[in-house]
Amino acid sequence: NGNFSRSASDQFSEMLQGNLELVPGDIRTTPFGDYIKRLPYFTSMNVFRTKPTEKFFVLELNPQVVFAFTDRLLGGKGGVSQRERQSFALSEKVVLSKMLESFKAIYCEVFFDCTLVRQESQSRVIHSFLSTESVFAVDYECYLNEQLVGGIHSCFPNAETI
């Protein structure tokens, strides 16, 4: 958890040419259905498959994080959008793609090899696990230039199976 947050902070700070800090938060075991209920409906849900075990895990990026990264990469300060939206613009999709490539590289470096297999912008359509299946959930807070921009959440199958 600490290695992942340090590696991500370093990689994204360089990409954004600013100070990004990924702060580990709660780590808990919860039913997958409860994990999904805690997430906003509109979000960036990303399903990865581990190699060689062929298990799935989910990485959720709060839209505010995507908006802040996009703003920063387009020359802004990385401010958080206060507008309520239900989809990502093309520029945000391009930035999201770059973010996911970086997260994949970080997971491969710190934990295990993996492949992105599915992306969704609505949290309720992901069914990688049964709603009653127990998952290992990890939360992070994302700060850009010392301003909280949003959360990043992941869930994994039972830790021993990865």
Side-chain angles (χ1 to χ4, degrees), residues 36-99:
I36 290 293
K37 286 178 190 172
R38 292 184 64 205
L39 303 176
Y41 182 74
F42 168 62
T43 192
S44 173
M45 294 290 290
N46 307 281
V47 179
F48 290 83
R49 183 175 45 235
T50 64
K51 295 178 186 176
T53 60
E54 300 298 317
K55 300 290 182 178
F56 293 95
F57 71 93
V58 175
L59 173 67
E60 183 264 344
L61 304 171
N62 185 285
Q64 297 301 331
V65 174
V66 178
F67 299 151
F69 275 50
T70 303
D71 182 63
R72 181 69 184 173
L73 289 170
L74 294 177
K77 294 181 180 181
V80 177
S81 171
Q82 299 303 320
R83 244 176 35 178
E84 188 66 29
R85 299 186 20 203
Q86 296 301 312
S87 64
F88 291 112
L90 180 59
S91 59
E92 293 154 351
K93 288 178 182 179
V94 170
V95 169
L96 182 57
S97 174
K98 296 290 185 197
M99 291 172 71

Side-chain angles (χ1 to χ4, degrees), residues 4-158:
F4 176 80
S5 63
R6 276 189 298 281
S7 185
S9 294
D10 291 346
Q11 187 157 344
F12 288 117
S13 289
E14 184 178 324
M15 175 191 290
L16 298 171
Q17 298 179 354
N19 182 31
L20 182 117
E21 187 175 6
L22 208 57
V23 178
D26 290 341
I27 299 173
R28 67 195 177 291
T29 301
T30 185
F32 183 68
D34 289 351
Y35 167 80
I36 290 293
K37 286 178 190 172
R38 292 184 64 205
L39 303 176
Y41 182 74
F42 168 62
T43 192
S44 173
M45 294 290 290
N46 307 281
V47 179
F48 290 83
R49 183 175 45 235
T50 64
K51 295 178 186 176
T53 60
E54 300 298 317
K55 300 290 182 178
F56 293 95
F57 71 93
V58 175
L59 173 67
E60 183 264 344
L61 304 171
N62 185 285
Q64 297 301 331
V65 174
V66 178
F67 299 151
F69 275 50
T70 303
D71 182 63
R72 181 69 184 173
L73 289 170
L74 294 177
K77 294 181 180 181
V80 177
S81 171
Q82 299 303 320
R83 244 176 35 178
E84 188 66 29
R85 299 186 20 203
Q86 296 301 312
S87 64
F88 291 112
L90 180 59
S91 59
E92 293 154 351
K93 288 178 182 179
V94 170
V95 169
L96 182 57
S97 174
K98 296 290 185 197
M99 291 172 71
L100 291 171
E101 286 175 23
S102 294
F103 273 113
K104 178 187 178 298
I106 294 163
Y107 277 115
C108 290
E109 173 188 323
V110 176
F111 296 117
F112 39 69
D113 194 14
C114 61
T115 303
L116 178 65
V117 294
R118 183 170 174 199
Q119 290 180 268
E120 293 290 343
S121 60
Q122 298 174 350
S123 61
R124 306 307 187 267
V125 299
I126 295 291
H127 301 288
S128 298
F129 306 98
L130 297 173
S131 64
T132 57
E133 186 176 350
S134 185
V135 296
F136 183 63
V138 182
D139 299 332
Y140 298 91
E141 289 183 334
C142 183
Y143 291 85
L144 181 56
N145 296 325
E146 299 180 13
Q147 177 187 0
L148 177 65
V149 293
I152 295 174
H153 311 277
S154 55
C155 80
F156 303 89
N158 184 323

